[in-house]
Amino acid sequence: MYTRCGCRDGAGRLLGSRCRGLAVRGHGSWYFRVEMPPWPDGRRRQIRRGGFSSQLAARQARACLLDPSGKDLSAAAITVAQWLQLWLDTRVGPGASTLHSYGQHIHGYLIPYLGDRLLRELTNAQVQAMFNAIIRPHGAAGRPVAAGTL
């Protein structure tokens, strides 16, 4: 667990964890780093997530990442975008092309429409509104979105 902020020095470089303002409550945000099992080719795999408003929220998100089966992910104070990225980073079963496709859908559709919402506050109506928003522009352009994509 660590804190960082977006403050910059006189040369325009990020101060990150060196910022003196981090001593002030509410300045910066909390991050965590987890060492995951290595990739099949032996490369090291670290997952870093941040932007949490409190150390407790970062700890909860880390706990969900380490043991997603035993936790209610909707109770954590994480956004839909953070959860989707956690989900994508922990996938080990499908092939590389499937993971690539998942990433395209997550970054192309889900995060732009729903990413800023807290996971625990996500509703069916918001998901349906996302589907409607995706269908309208593509249908008007003459290229409907395939049912499999939706």
Side-chain angles (χ1 to χ4, degrees):
M1 297 286 159
Y2 57 96
T3 56
R4 294 183 61 93
C5 73
C7 296
R8 297 184 178 269
D9 64 11
R13 293 183 300 252
L14 280 174
L15 291 174
S17 59
R18 297 177 291 130
C19 178
R20 293 182 184 191
L22 289 174
V24 177
R25 186 180 181 120
H27 184 80
S29 54
W30 284 91
Y31 290 74
F32 69 86
R33 179 178 33 239
V34 176
E35 188 76 30
M36 300 297 286
W39 292 104
D41 62 3
R43 288 182 299 134
R44 185 178 184 187
R45 183 167 60 154
Q46 281 188 342
I47 296 177
R48 284 172 256 184
R49 293 290 172 265
F52 299 99
S53 59
S54 68
Q55 185 177 19
L56 177 62
R59 285 186 190 280
Q60 289 173 339
R62 184 182 67 179
C64 289
L65 175 67
L66 294 174
D67 185 19
S69 62
K71 306 288 186 230
D72 178 11
L73 292 175
S74 63
I78 60 175
T79 65
V80 172
Q82 290 169 326
W83 186 86
L84 286 169
Q85 194 61 52
L86 286 171
W87 180 85
L88 187 61
D89 289 342
T90 57
R91 297 300 97 200
V92 292
S97 63
T98 304
L99 287 174
H100 179 72
S101 177
Y102 288 170
Q104 285 182 320
H105 287 94
I106 286 171
H107 295 289
Y109 295 112
L110 298 172
I111 290 177
Y113 288 98
L114 302 172
D116 61 340
R117 290 171 172 77
L118 287 177
L119 182 61
R120 67 176 173 224
E121 296 173 356
L122 185 64
T123 65
N124 291 340
Q126 292 169 335
V127 174
Q128 186 60 51
M130 176 199 66
F131 285 129
N132 293 339
I134 291 169
I135 292 169
R136 279 191 200 110
H138 289 282
R143 299 181 324 261
V145 178
T149 300
L150 292 174

